[in-house]
Amino acid sequence: MATSAQTLSLIIDELVKAKPLDRDAAVTLLAAKGFLPKKLTEKPKEKKVSCFASKAAEDFAEAKGIVVPDGFKGTATNDRISVKDLKQLAEGPKAAKVNASPSAQQFCRDNGLDITKVTGSGTEGKVLLKDVKDLKPTAKADSDDEDTGKRKVSSAAAKLMKQYEIDEEDIVEVEGTGTNGTVVAKDLKELIDLIKAEKSDESSDEEDDE
């Protein structure tokens, strides 16, 4: 609906008289006088810009109670945060990958050794089982010897130990399932698998070097 000449004249008079500093001031002045339609006086709703890439990411953050650090930039478009980014935040920083064979890592875990302080003798400084075997705490070994004495090993297990060059110290943590705790062949399976994996890793490294 067009504004009448009389209304326009009144609007002009008000503006000349009040001399508002800016548009917002003029709108406020004229709205108070009833000269403007309601739609013109309503402030536009601010569109909320989400930092999440999707509703799924937003729901994931809320469900897990994840607090996004200030300044954190996601990997999605426009630096928005994806579910993948949130999972990484929840998990925390990943520990640096250790250049060591599976058997060496397992040995260190079992014996409470810090593998990061071991100098490896393998390709590109890879830590091998033989590098960590001599680092096993003697106190624990002595204690075990006093409590249990020499481990009982079946003939089949003994053959496997000889075949894979497994020392008695290597089976201190192995639980014997035979009579009176005797270590039988099946008890060595996990250790042998680790040794096989180590040899496989060494072969793979040698092929890469070629």
Side-chain angles (χ1 to χ4, degrees):
M1 181 176 179
T3 306
S4 65
Q6 183 181 2
T7 302
L8 286 173
S9 178
L10 291 172
I11 290 173
I12 293 171
D13 291 342
E14 287 292 339
L15 294 176
V16 171
K17 180 181 177 180
K19 296 180 180 179
L21 295 176
D22 52 30
R23 185 180 186 280
D24 290 339
V27 170
T28 301
L29 172 67
L30 298 176
K33 298 292 184 179
F35 294 146
L36 299 178
K38 186 177 179 180
K39 288 185 178 181
L40 187 61
T41 59
E42 289 179 344
K43 291 185 178 181
K45 294 182 180 180
E46 294 183 4
K47 187 177 180 181
K48 185 180 178 181
V49 179
S50 175
C51 63
F52 298 105
S54 64
K55 184 69 166 58
E58 187 173 355
D59 292 342
F60 183 86
E62 184 176 352
K64 300 294 183 179
I66 299 173
V67 178
V68 179
D70 293 337
F72 179 82
K73 292 184 179 182
T75 57
T77 306
N78 296 327
D79 296 330
R80 292 189 177 182
I81 303 168
S82 65
V83 173
K84 180 181 177 182
D85 298 326
L86 292 170
K87 287 182 178 179
Q88 291 179 348
L89 281 175
E91 293 172 357
K94 293 184 178 179
K97 187 176 181 181
V98 179
N99 185 23
S101 68
S103 56
Q105 294 184 52
Q106 183 65 46
F107 185 88
C108 287
R109 283 194 294 268
D110 291 342
N111 295 284
L113 301 175
D114 186 356
I115 198 169
T116 60
K117 295 180 180 180
V118 180
T119 301
S121 61
T123 306
E124 296 182 356
K126 174 175 279 191
V127 179
L128 306 177
L129 180 59
K130 64 182 180 180
D131 298 325
V132 298
K133 282 172 66 177
D134 294 336
L135 300 177
K136 187 174 180 180
T138 56
K140 188 175 188 305
D142 292 343
S143 175
D144 287 344
D145 287 339
E146 292 174 3
D147 294 340
T148 62
K150 188 174 181 180
R151 295 301 301 274
K152 294 181 180 179
V153 181
S154 69
S155 57
K159 289 180 180 179
L160 288 174
M161 289 176 64
K162 183 177 181 181
Q163 179 181 347
Y164 291 98
E165 298 180 351
I166 299 173
D167 299 330
E168 288 187 11
E169 291 181 357
D170 298 333
I171 63 171
V172 170
E173 300 296 330
V174 175
E175 182 179 354
T177 59
T179 305
N180 297 325
T182 299
V183 177
V184 296
K186 66 178 182 179
D187 300 330
L188 300 176
K189 182 179 184 305
E190 184 177 352
L191 182 58
I192 291 173
D193 287 344
L194 289 173
I195 294 173
K196 288 180 178 179
E198 179 182 299
K199 290 182 178 179
S200 177
D201 288 342
E202 291 178 353
S203 298
S204 177
D205 290 338
E206 290 175 0
E207 290 178 2
D208 292 341
D209 292 341
E210 294 175 1

